[in-house]
Amino acid sequence: MDFLEKLNPAQKRSVTAGEGPTLVLAGPGSGKTRVLTQRIAYLIAYEGVRPYQMLAVTFTNKAAREMGHRVEQLLGQDMTSGLFLGTFHSICARLLRREADKLPVSSDFVIFDADDQQSIVKRTLKELNLNDKLYRPIVVHAAISHAKNELIPPEAFPVVTYRDEAIKRIYKRYQELLQDSNAVDFDDLLVMTANLLAQFPDVREKYAQRFRHVLVDEFQDTNQAQYTLVKYLSSIHNNIFVVGDPDQSIYAWRGADYRNVERFEKDYPGAQVILLEQNYRSKQTILDAAMAVIDKAHHRRKKKLFSHLGQGEKINYYEALDDYGEASFVVDSIANLIASKRFDPGECAVMYRTNAQSRLMEEAFLSARLPYKLVGAQRFYGRREVKDMIAFLRLAHNPADEVSLDRVINLPPRGIGDKTLLTLHTVARSAGVSPGSILLDLARGSASPYFAQFSGRAALPLADFGASFSAWRGMAMAFTVPELFDKILQDLNYKDHLDDGTEEGKERWENVVELRRLAQEYQTRTLSEFLENAALISDQDTLSENQNVPTLLTLHAAKGLEFGAVFLVGLDDGTLPHSRSFDEPEQMEEERRLFYVGITRAKETLYLVRALQRGGRGYAESTIPSRFLEDIPTELLNGKNRAGGKPPRSNNTSLNPRHDTWTLPAPSRPAPIRESKFRAGMRVLHPLWDEGIVLDSRIQQDDEILDVQFTSVGLKRLAASLANLKIL
């Protein structure tokens, strides 16, 4: 057990820290995972702590698996058996099932995913007779989720406006419908556990006594509920060891609060604070650029990142004439890097602020016939046929799951329409039971007391589905997951339903086959575990590690990853930083951290890329360089042109010499426009952005230039000859 000898001094201080609270501020690429895993190994091997006396929390299943594997490699499986390790949500799910007798749901509760949650919100809006245009389900659910992350129950939801009062009512009914389905959402896993520990001191003491050491990864990404949880679970021994970096906190939009690091230092004034500043990933030039950007952030503890990997080449800066040229430059540069053997395809990545930016990049890759991997597109568990199959399994597991029932009751089509479904819900409400219970009883046919409450056309398909449902329900309690899976496929004749001979049909069936392979891995495990895994898995957990192709992904999705060559594109004000952050100082700070995260993903080569103009359907707009670019010293850059104008020619031989001419041909223009067709105040319709109002119109260079305020995208400047606007 000589693993301590391979640690640098700061890492060794972290791993061997004494008892009590410890905060490790770990810069990017500084080996924080190594520190966490070796801290666990050290406590077991040197301090005599039993594995079951430790709780280690990560944010992804992938990170949890990697951590568990590393600890086993250090100590062996026998010495690590019983370690309580997983994500916040998976650990909370385990605790809640153990303590279900104290909860408003039973131990076989199901976990509703994002689509299920949206369905519940929509149903609530309909019940409360609220307009879903005024109360958009996605916005309403975000408000509910934010309240839960702050541990605010429905009855305490703050009301200032009438809209707040309406959301409070929606929130209350939303929770009632979840409980009626014996279900929880992701936020409930955290909230219910926090409330359980707060309301039942004996339960809190039991787990706080058991966990002599609590270790938390990515602490800067915790929300208020998660912070409260770790405080409760470490409240007796006070041995709380957290690792994080506020400079990499980029998930405020999903509840993460980097200020938890500040709260930790206030709540534990005697805590050890250790800085990990040696970077094992990047060349020093890349780190110098990253520090130049992040040092301008406010209210942070500064770190001096350093590397022993060498100074490295200068950072490549490129301004394309337009966004088509930007995409072409990136793809041709990657092709050259691969052809010159500098990097394997899988070592190259293109990162951008928003998913929408991937379109032109994808087109450029396709045009160059260069394969790529898109992260953030429709993930495996989000595909329709996969969600449908999981819904059937969830229904077999939990007949009270109304969301799953509504999703699949007429799949494949069996003559159960919306009217029949409404009648089923009405009969169930009148009887005081779930619609699933009605269906299970209808399996008896005319012997069921509910059979006569449906028309003949409705009763027979309901009874037929009820019979299959009843068989699945019986198998769920006695057979293996793959056996149940196969029975459902057989009863539905699902292959014929999906595989209609088209390429799309074949791909959909292949997705179901892949899910069946996963089910096979649960031959000796429960259906509950299978469904829980499917619900909790994240985008990064589904990344293929075997595809040796360039990766396209958002900066948010890039967290925790690293690549030999990184292209950061779209570096314009309004894109990065995003325009939504202009009037919000906190959001602007997060945009800065996002840029910092992107820079520090690069190991050897970094490209900063923008376009002087961005084009689209009928408009062309000049851009302004990202304000963050100004923070990077000129001497670190190759090709920097602060004044804008013609794209600079780079001296880097890896770049294609044609890069300054990569633009699409100018579109042919119609005859010159001499008179205005539009005037201020006109309502117009755009083929892409829907309705807008003309704010200004003027003749310029033989065309009519319009300023139009669109409801969907805000203010746009358009050329009338190209915009294809219709006057309403």
Side-chain angles (χ1 to χ4, degrees), residues 27-44:
S30 61
K32 68 176 182 61
T33 303
R34 186 182 194 185
V35 164
L36 267 171
T37 54
Q38 297 199 11
R39 171 69 172 172
I40 295 171
Y42 172 79
L43 290 172
I44 295 172

Side-chain angles (χ1 to χ4, degrees), residues 302-320:
K302 289 192 177 182
K303 295 186 291 293
K304 179 65 176 177
L305 303 180
F306 65 93
S307 171
H308 293 326
L309 300 176
Q311 191 65 32
E313 64 187 55
K314 287 188 175 184
I315 295 166
N316 301 287
Y317 180 84
Y318 181 74
E319 287 181 340

Side-chain angles (χ1 to χ4, degrees), residues 108-110 181-183 393-401 469 473:
D108 62 348
F109 63 80
V110 294
S181 290
N182 192 36
L393 293 167
R394 277 189 4 188
L395 192 59
H397 173 65
N398 174 23
D401 183 350
F469 181 15
R473 175 60 178 162

Side-chain angles (χ1 to χ4, degrees), residues 463-609:
D464 182 63
F465 182 76
S468 297
F469 181 15
S470 179
W472 304 335
R473 175 60 178 162
M475 289 190 68
M477 295 184 285
F479 287 71
T480 67
V481 175
E483 287 173 334
L484 172 62
F485 196 106
D486 290 343
K487 173 63 173 173
I488 293 174
L489 291 181
Q490 179 184 343
D491 287 353
L492 297 175
N493 199 15
Y494 208 43
K495 186 178 189 301
D496 290 344
H497 169 64
L498 291 178
D499 189 0
D500 56 5
T502 65
E503 284 301 312
E504 180 184 1
K506 292 176 182 177
E507 289 175 4
R508 293 181 66 193
W509 173 246
E510 286 171 2
N511 289 332
V512 173
V513 171
E514 182 60 30
L515 185 66
R516 173 62 175 75
R517 291 194 190 103
L518 177 65
Q520 187 64 39
E521 297 178 15
Y522 286 75
Q523 181 78 37
T524 59
R525 299 167 68 184
T526 66
L527 177 59
S528 177
E529 289 175 293
F530 175 83
L531 294 173
E532 189 167 300
N533 178 71
L536 295 178
I537 202 157
S538 68
D539 279 351
Q540 285 201 0
D541 293 322
T542 64
L543 288 182
S544 170
E545 297 177 357
N546 301 319
Q547 288 182 273
N548 188 22
V549 296
T551 301
L552 277 62
L553 71 170
T554 65
L555 287 164
H556 283 102
K559 177 76 177 296
L561 304 178
E562 59 182 43
F563 301 89
V566 169
F567 293 75
L568 300 182
V569 303
L571 297 179
D572 312 319
D573 250 28
T575 304
L576 182 67
H578 198 281
S579 57
R580 288 193 298 265
S581 69
F582 286 176
D583 298 323
E584 297 290 339
E586 283 286 343
Q587 290 185 27
M588 183 62 73
E589 289 286 283
E590 179 153 321
E591 295 291 303
R592 179 179 293 279
R593 295 194 294 269
L594 197 57
F595 186 37
Y596 169 77
V597 165
I599 293 173
T600 55
R601 299 310 95 194
K603 296 195 289 186
E604 295 184 36
T605 299
L606 176 64
Y607 294 79
L608 305 178
V609 190

Side-chain angles (χ1 to χ4, degrees), residues 57 59 88-89 92 144-152 186-191 194 216-231 249 251-261 263-264 267:
V57 190
F59 268 83
F88 272 103
H89 292 90
C92 285
I144 293 172
S145 179
H146 177 74
K148 289 186 177 184
N149 287 335
E150 296 295 317
L151 297 177
I152 300 173
F186 292 122
D187 297 316
D188 284 333
L189 293 173
L190 305 176
V191 173
V216 185
D217 191 12
E218 303 287 5
F219 188 65
Q220 78 282 346
D221 292 333
T222 55
N223 58 34
Q224 184 61 48
Q226 289 161 334
Y227 182 57
T228 301
L229 279 171
V230 296
K231 283 187 66 179
S249 180
Y251 300 125
W253 49 276
R254 67 185 190 198
D257 190 348
Y258 72 96
R259 291 170 297 188
N260 280 345
V261 174
R263 293 187 180 105
F264 183 93
D267 290 344

